[in-house]
Amino acid sequence: MIGSSIFWGSMWYPLRAVEAAGIPAALAGALCYGVPLIPLLPFLFIRRRQLQAGGWRMLLCGGALACCNILFAVAVVMGEVGIIILLFYLSPIWSTILERVFMKTPLTPVRWVGIGLALVGLMVLQGVGGRWPWPSNLAEWMGLGAGLCWAVALLTARMWSHITVLDKSIAQFGCALPVGLLVYVLLGDVAGPAGWPELGILIGAAPWIIAAAVIWVVPAMVLSLWGAGRLSPGRASILMTSEVVVGVGSAVWLAGEDLGWHKIVGGILIVSASLLETWQARREAQADAEGATT
């Protein structure tokens, strides 16, 4: 999960490059997440029985992932990367609630402490200077919505772990293009000029679209789905908070976003929550192993 965070944390860079090439922000995500479906098209036929057997579960998993990725992609192009990522990382709270409701997972004291650290980190990162961790514009609302969709995707991946990574990927990328186009149509002039870009603009942006899909999107999605099927939703979400450090750091370095002491302290708190959850997971795994041998 930490490896996938490196890709997710720097995803804003190729997306902004696509937008700088003339592609509206609301369309950049649809194209970057739609391209990976092309090499997967043969598997739509090869895996058609498995995909059909997945039914609404497959659609829910793929649709949640697609909504998460499209909303996040548009948000980091339109808004401040650091703020968007922080709002996205309210997702451990949603994951914990969903896990408790649908999987009846007990909430241990350590998990409460980890969630508390993550929340305090978010409040420090955003709350200094009178700002609190709630959305103040469209991009930030989309970042918050992306986090909720991610929590749903993690829950489905955990509950239906028998669905393979390949099938989840096909469903996700299959849903990404229509979801992205729908967002583009709904946003209209809010996120950029209306209408389809001219062919010359598309050709000029093609290298960045392909790079975003091949170098960032596919590795990030495969690693996320692989880890999500082996970890609880809350645990996976907390481990993924290392994306905050990557995203905020890369935005400061490459985009010139402000870095104050509140971001440093908040980042430390969130990473501490990840380390605490990892330690707790190791303890639980050891306890289960010892219980199985007795």
Side-chain angles (χ1 to χ4, degrees), residues 59-69 146 149-150 152-154 156 172 175:
L59 185 62
L60 178 59
C61 183
L65 284 168
C67 289
C68 167
N69 292 328
C149 292
W150 175 245
V152 173
L154 286 177
T156 59
Q172 190 277 136
C175 292

Side-chain angles (χ1 to χ4, degrees), residues 5 8-10 12 80-86 89 122 125-126 241-260 262-264 266-267 270:
S5 298
W8 290 126
S10 59
W12 64 270
E80 183 179 347
V81 175
I83 299 299
I84 298 302
I85 290 178
L86 297 177
Y89 274 98
L122 286 170
L125 281 161
Q126 290 192 261
T241 53
S242 56
E243 178 188 337
V244 173
V245 178
V246 177
V248 172
S250 61
V252 170
W253 179 33
L254 299 173
E257 291 189 1
D258 178 61
L259 175 63
H262 57 292
K263 288 188 178 180
I264 297 174
I270 292 174

Side-chain angles (χ1 to χ4, degrees), residues 57-135:
R57 294 177 176 83
M58 184 77 71
L59 185 62
L60 178 59
C61 183
L65 284 168
C67 289
C68 167
N69 292 328
I70 294 299
L71 291 176
F72 185 81
V74 178
V76 294
V77 175
M78 292 174 56
E80 183 179 347
V81 175
I83 299 299
I84 298 302
I85 290 178
L86 297 177
L87 286 169
F88 176 85
Y89 274 98
L90 287 172
S91 60
I93 301 173
W94 316 137
S95 293
T96 298
I97 294 172
L98 292 172
E99 185 179 355
R100 176 60 180 167
V101 171
F102 292 100
M103 299 181 69
K104 310 302 180 184
T105 303
L107 301 180
T108 64
V110 173
R111 289 195 69 187
W112 279 115
V113 172
I115 292 172
L117 285 173
L119 276 175
V120 173
L122 286 170
M123 293 182 69
V124 171
L125 281 161
Q126 290 192 261
V128 173
R131 183 183 178 91
W132 295 96
W134 57 63

